Amino acid sequence: MMAEMDYYQVLGVSKNASKEEIRKAFKKIARENHPDAKPDDPAAAEKFKKAAEAYDILGDEDKRKKYDQYGENWKHVPDGGGFPGGGSPFRSGGPVDVDLRDIFGGGGAVDIESLFGGMFGGGGGRQRPRQQAQRGQDLKTVIMVPFEIAARGGEHDITLSQNGNVQRVTIKIPAGIESGKSIRLGGQGQPGVQGGPAGDVLVTVNVAPHPFFRREGNNLLVEVPVSISEAALGAKIDVPTIEDGIVTMTLPSGTSSGAKLRLKGKGFKNLKTKATGDQYIVIKIQVPKELDDRSRELIEEYAELNSVAIREDLW
């Protein structure tokens, strides 16, 4: 006979552990053994599955109370707790505390329900009212998607745990999604009860930051460094984009640091209006840290000719 699984031992906590201690223990095991972290490790997948099952029981106060009282038979306890006559389904409940498994061998050969005339919901005795169909519970998960997928749209794999069963699902990420927005997967949540519809899966999307792009509303911004001579005289500069790779733009002469050049329609798509924002190239003049003697002379000469004019423009 298969040994009963001790949910407390699975999570590595004591029977007096608080709800928060149980939650932290499960998160630690899930983080270390999640299929995303160890995709080709059957032992880790099994450990994750058992931990999810244990947390489903011990993380729920009502289920935990039944489990603490009745052990592996907690699932057979009617709502409201207790069995007919009190005690456990294997005890007589009379003045002598007799375990019926001691009498009938404990090997499961005797049908306890048939002995007691269906008192546990079987035929022959008074039956409980038929349970109505109920919709299954929704599942919630949070994912992190790359910046480029949020901009262009694409696919992303997620892992779902349903009643201890782990499965991988590929979802579509719409172009233009923002951090904190959710995607609903209809009918992929917990199964319904008594033929009721399954619940949904709600996937909250967070967008990973990009090394040099950033988002402002539906617009895409990127800082591009240029030299003093390029800013003063004008130049052709290479600019990165999300969709088209590197493109060449004309930097007008006399461009100041902080000025913006626009690429129309190269930003993020608005999920509601479907309108697309623009990409702005923010010019950042890069000043050399070291100058040779000739360069210094030229800049000092330029400063003598133009410093007054610059201050007059400011005031």
Side-chain angles (χ1 to χ4, degrees), residues 225-233 235 251 255 283-288:
V226 299
S227 67
I228 295 177
S229 59
E230 287 174 325
L233 303 176
L251 180 69
T255 300
I283 300 302
K284 185 177 182 181
I285 297 177
Q286 197 83 15
V287 179

Side-chain angles (χ1 to χ4, degrees), residues 129-134 193-194:
R130 186 182 184 88
Q131 191 174 10
Q132 294 182 348
Q134 296 180 5
V193 177
Q194 295 293 326

